[in-house]
Amino acid sequence: MQIKTMAEYFANGETPEILFWVGCAGSFDQRAQKITKAFATILDKVGVRFAILGKEESCTGDPARRAGNEFIFQMMAQNNIAVLNGYEVKKIVTACPHCFNTLRNEYPELGGHYEVIHHATYLQQLIDDGKIRMQESGSFKGRKITYHDSCYLGRANNIYEAPRKVLEALDAELVEMKRCKSNGLCCGAGGAQMFKEEEKGTTRINFERGREAVDTGASVIAANCPFCMTMLTDGVKEQGKEDNVQVLDIAEMIAQQMV
Amino acid sequence: MHIIQELLFVIAFGIAVYLFYRKARQIRQNILLGRDVSLNDDPAARWKNVLLLAFGQKKMFRNPLVAVLHFFVYAGFLIINVEILEIILDGILGKHRLFAPLLGSLYPVLIGCFEILAALVTIGCAIFLVRRNIVKVKRLNQHELDGWPRSDANYILVTEIVLMLLFLTMNTADQALQLRGHEHYINTGTFWVSGYFVPLFSGLSDGALIGIERGCWWLHILGILAFLNYLPYSKHLHIILAFPNAYYADLRPKGKVENMPAVQKEVQLMLQPELAAAEAPAADIPKFGAKDVPDLTWKNVLDAYSCTECGRCTAACPANITGKKLSPRKIMMDTRDRAEEIGLQIAKSGSFTEDGKTLLRDYITEEELRACTSCNACVQECPVSINPLHIILQLRRHLVMEESSAPQEWNMMFSNIENNMAPWKMSPDDRDKWAVEMNG
């Protein structure tokens, strides 16, 4: 596989169909890199001409803004917009709901207007268009899967159905947690909490969510966010269930099962 | 004799309306303490919110059982205003059941409907009292409700029950008199609820019945006028402010954080210094974030006055669920308390001067603010479109940008983003390492 950067496309006078915005977690976090690779594999298999920004990509500024540091946010945002506009980017797909939300909702008023799609929606489109086809008897067939709504895809942007539709393609048994969709419980990482200790409480948010997910009896917890991935994995470990319950991104599940 | 009653009524009514107007004006001033923000775009979407959220109670139905009970109380409130209109006109004009001759056979049907609603309101409020005080529903018994907020809730429920019982008793006595053919009490036909209780009054003399009817009439209307004036001091103000608050609700996706044009400009000049020459220097240094109520927007303060402390936000807050100090409801209660405090000071001395207190720290602590995951559960849950997250984020901005107050880990995250373009201490050169690995 040959993953090309925007700069490489540009140098050849070509334009890719989409820009795959990888995000910091997807680039640097070892676990999240697997999601990135899985999504890149899917794009490659279905023959989408995609580019990454590579070393030209920067943090969108999401955690800085939510922690209260608008200066750092503006620096990142304005630099990113300059790069994206420089390449005349039209369509962006990302596997991180935080990047998705910031690029989609917060960049336009700073001059960055793009069609921004989260990979859950994009995968659903590819499945609907028949571009992704699944193996007849995949390894998820009939298994109990529970889906964790990330706050930034769900409540923040009202996307609840796309990831569930993607999971339906796996022919698995989808079981819902008590708190799901617009009632979903946060993994505990949003609002820059990922980057600091939690305040003192009776338990950790991800422990609470991990317990709730494990209680469904599902053997797979499906996530759509690299931060939820980290938090839920820890939550499952706290329940001592890491050998029986996997936490997987929907892109990983599709990549594993597609023909 | 009659004219005295009418005079007394007009005086009582006038005083009540005047007092209400005076307090309402003060609350309006307190709301306008907040900085200006324009929320008038897309009126169609805004009216839709008013219809669905305020009139339709859409979000209440996330919990159907409570929603039905609340709907009775709410519908009772709205519709019984028609009946109050008749009472007020009767009071001013010295008439009795002014609408009866006008409406003819429709009149007992109308009153019958009001009575059914009155009975449902009574039952609803009684169940609410049980939920608060006997079943002790968790969100209705958390710490921030200790003291006045808890009593306030109970006073409201008890008052509503009393007002409804007065209305039903008044009608019962009225009917008993009608059946006896008393000249002043024209026959209107049987009322649907109070009709069943007429036999209870069979042993009473005409005089006693008139006493009961007049007594209940006066207590009912004086109670309503008193209640009107209690509203602005109580969480119950939501019955009025829920409507404008739904109109001014944020129409943008919940994930969008408010932009700061001042910072945007400053960073723009930093990144493109060549623009600075054409730019006139800023007149004054803007404030970053909010420390006190006047730094918030008027919508934030309107939110605070619209809050009825139901705690659906807090019950859904992941930080609160896991025992942290943050409670979105408390953020709203604190904002309202502080706005009242400032308003009182202005009323006394004419202007707001530093009183050594601020919303930040004296009311809302850093620990509370730090615990928020910005998950929007509180915003999602609020039946009247309150946004506690917006206040939290503005206070966080003040902490970080004005006071450089952030946990050490956040400071490291900030410098990592600034220096390495990622929140972790990673080399920017390794950003596409995964791709190099895949390219083989």
Side-chain angles (χ1 to χ4, degrees), chain A residues 185-190 193-194 198 205-206 231, chain B residues 318 373:
Chain A
L185 183 71
C186 179
C187 72
Q193 299 294 345
M194 182 75 194
E198 271 186 40
I205 296 172
N206 61 330
M231 300 307 263
Chain B
T373 68

Side-chain angles (χ1 to χ4, degrees), chain B residues 341-399:
Chain B
E341 190 176 55
I342 294 176
L344 212 64
Q345 204 202 327
I346 293 176
K348 268 189 202 152
S349 64
S351 68
F352 175 54
T353 44
E354 293 288 324
D355 59 352
K357 282 201 208 168
T358 51
L359 178 62
L360 178 64
R361 296 212 175 80
D362 290 304
Y363 287 84
I364 302 169
T365 62
E366 280 185 66
E367 185 176 348
E368 291 166 68
L369 296 170
R370 295 282 188 242
C372 174
T373 68
S374 74
C375 75
N376 268 302
C378 55
V379 185
Q380 177 77 49
E381 289 305 317
C382 182
V384 298
S385 326
I386 292 170
N387 189 331
L389 177 58
H390 193 209
I391 297 179
I392 293 170
L393 289 175
Q394 289 176 87
L395 294 171
R396 276 188 177 183
R397 281 175 168 174
H398 174 87
L399 283 174

Side-chain angles (χ1 to χ4, degrees), chain A residues 1-5 20 22-29 33 36-38 40-41 50 52 54-55 57-59 61 63-76 78-79 101 104-106 109-110 151-152 155-158 160 179 182-186 188-205 208 227, chain B residues 62 252-261 263-272 288 315-319 321-325 366-378 380-381 389 393 396-398 400-401 407 409-410 413-415 417-424 426-440:
Chain A
M1 192 187 340
Q2 205 56 41
I3 296 170
K4 289 202 281 183
T5 61
F20 172 24
V22 184
C24 301
S27 301
F28 294 114
D29 181 273
Q33 277 177 357
T36 307
K37 289 179 177 174
T41 306
F50 72 98
I52 59 169
K55 294 177 179 53
E57 189 186 278
S58 299
C59 172
R65 185 172 237 195
R66 276 146 191 82
N69 198 328
E70 183 75 2
F71 279 97
I72 305 261
F73 166 76
Q74 291 285 345
M75 286 203 300
M76 293 301 121
Q78 294 187 29
N79 267 326
N101 178 67
R104 181 200 201 201
N105 297 322
E106 298 181 355
E109 66 188 325
L110 307 179
C151 307
Y152 274 77
R155 274 188 299 265
N157 288 290
N158 277 319
Y160 300 109
R179 289 176 279 213
S182 65
N183 292 316
L185 183 71
C186 179
Q193 299 294 345
M194 182 75 194
F195 305 101
K196 71 168 184 54
E197 245 337 284
E198 271 186 40
E199 323 308 308
K200 210 169 131 287
T202 47
T203 182
R204 286 168 184 267
I205 296 172
E208 175 81 10
F227 298 106
Chain B
R62 286 168 77 82
R252 297 164 304 184
K254 286 196 260 313
K256 189 194 174 307
V257 168
E258 190 79 16
N259 192 31
M260 295 184 74
V263 180
Q264 184 189 343
K265 183 119 248 169
E266 201 159 320
V267 171
Q268 198 176 16
L269 293 177
M270 203 171 76
L271 296 175
Q272 296 167 273
F288 298 130
C317 173
I321 287 169
T322 53
K324 277 92 185 169
K325 288 214 173 101
E366 280 185 66
E367 185 176 348
E368 291 166 68
L369 296 170
R370 295 282 188 242
C372 174
T373 68
S374 74
C375 75
N376 268 302
C378 55
Q380 177 77 49
E381 289 305 317
L389 177 58
L393 289 175
R396 276 188 177 183
R397 281 175 168 174
H398 174 87
V400 168
M401 289 193 282
E409 301 129 294
W410 271 4
M413 182 258 290
F414 296 148
S415 72
I417 296 181
E418 206 173 352
N419 299 319
N420 308 321
M421 273 58 92
W424 295 284
M426 300 282 188
S427 165
D429 282 340
D430 288 343
R431 194 175 264 275
D432 54 359
K433 210 170 146 196
W434 65 272
V436 177
E437 284 167 19
M438 284 189 99
N439 287 345

Side-chain angles (χ1 to χ4, degrees), chain B residues 166-339:
Chain B
L166 284 170
F167 169 67
L168 290 171
T169 312
M170 173 183 88
N171 279 355
T172 313
D174 194 311
Q175 264 185 99
L177 288 160
Q178 287 179 25
L179 291 172
R180 292 180 193 184
H182 198 284
E183 55 161 345
H184 190 64
Y185 293 88
I186 46 165
N187 198 344
T188 57
T190 312
F191 297 150
W192 298 352
V193 176
S194 58
Y196 290 100
F197 297 98
V198 173
L200 289 178
F201 287 169
S202 60
L204 296 177
S205 69
D206 282 9
L209 281 176
I210 294 174
I212 290 173
E213 196 276 332
R214 283 291 89 192
C216 288
W217 188 92
W218 273 101
L219 285 173
H220 179 62
I221 190 64
L222 289 177
I224 284 170
L225 294 177
F227 198 53
L228 176 75
N229 277 288
Y230 178 73
L231 274 187
Y233 296 90
S234 149
K235 76 190 192 85
H236 209 45
L237 192 55
H238 82 288
I239 64 171
I240 297 171
L241 293 185
F243 296 87
N245 214 47
Y247 184 84
Y248 293 116
D250 205 339
L251 299 174
R252 297 164 304 184
K254 286 196 260 313
K256 189 194 174 307
V257 168
E258 190 79 16
N259 192 31
M260 295 184 74
V263 180
Q264 184 189 343
K265 183 119 248 169
E266 201 159 320
V267 171
Q268 198 176 16
L269 293 177
M270 203 171 76
L271 296 175
Q272 296 167 273
E274 65 276 13
L275 296 175
E279 201 59 46
D284 50 359
I285 304 163
K287 272 194 196 175
F288 298 130
K291 186 185 189 183
D292 209 347
V293 165
D295 307 325
L296 298 170
T297 71
W298 62 260
K299 173 64 166 75
N300 297 144
V301 192
L302 177 63
D303 275 355
Y305 276 103
S306 308
C307 175
T308 197
E309 300 161 16
C310 71
R312 286 172 171 80
C313 51
T314 294
C317 173
N320 196 276
I321 287 169
T322 53
K324 277 92 185 169
K325 288 214 173 101
L326 174 64
S327 161
R329 166 171 56 189
K330 182 178 166 292
I331 301 284
M332 303 322 299
M333 294 167 72
D334 288 341
T335 304
R336 173 176 166 154
D337 289 350
R338 177 60 182 157

Side-chain angles (χ1 to χ4, degrees), chain B residues 4-128:
Chain B
I4 295 176
Q5 274 205 34
E6 287 155 50
L7 205 65
L8 282 175
F9 180 84
V10 171
I11 290 170
F13 185 67
I15 290 174
V17 170
Y18 172 71
L19 289 175
F20 178 77
Y21 164 76
R22 219 176 55 168
K23 180 65 184 170
R25 198 182 53 183
Q26 213 215 314
I27 288 179
R28 184 172 180 274
Q29 280 168 359
N30 290 355
I31 289 169
L32 293 177
L33 281 175
R35 64 189 165 83
D36 201 17
V37 56
S38 172
L39 293 171
N40 290 309
D41 58 311
D42 203 350
R46 295 187 178 280
W47 280 112
K48 195 177 155 202
N49 274 343
V50 175
L51 286 177
L52 285 178
L53 299 174
F55 281 105
Q57 317 249 300
K58 184 179 158 205
K59 280 203 184 163
M60 288 298 290
F61 283 90
R62 286 168 77 82
N63 185 348
L65 189 72
V66 181
V68 169
L69 292 172
H70 183 268
F71 196 84
F72 291 154
V73 178
Y74 155 78
F77 161 76
L78 278 190
I79 297 169
I80 239 148
N81 278 312
V82 181
E83 184 260 337
I84 292 168
L85 180 71
E86 187 189 36
I87 289 188
I88 290 169
L89 290 174
D90 279 350
I92 295 172
L93 304 170
K95 304 272 188 203
H96 184 74
R97 297 199 182 269
L98 182 72
F99 294 165
L102 302 174
L103 296 173
S105 58
L106 194 64
Y107 187 79
V109 175
L110 204 64
I111 297 291
C113 292
F114 294 160
E115 287 200 338
I116 287 174
L117 274 169
L120 290 173
V121 170
T122 310
I123 294 166
C125 290
I127 295 173
F128 287 156

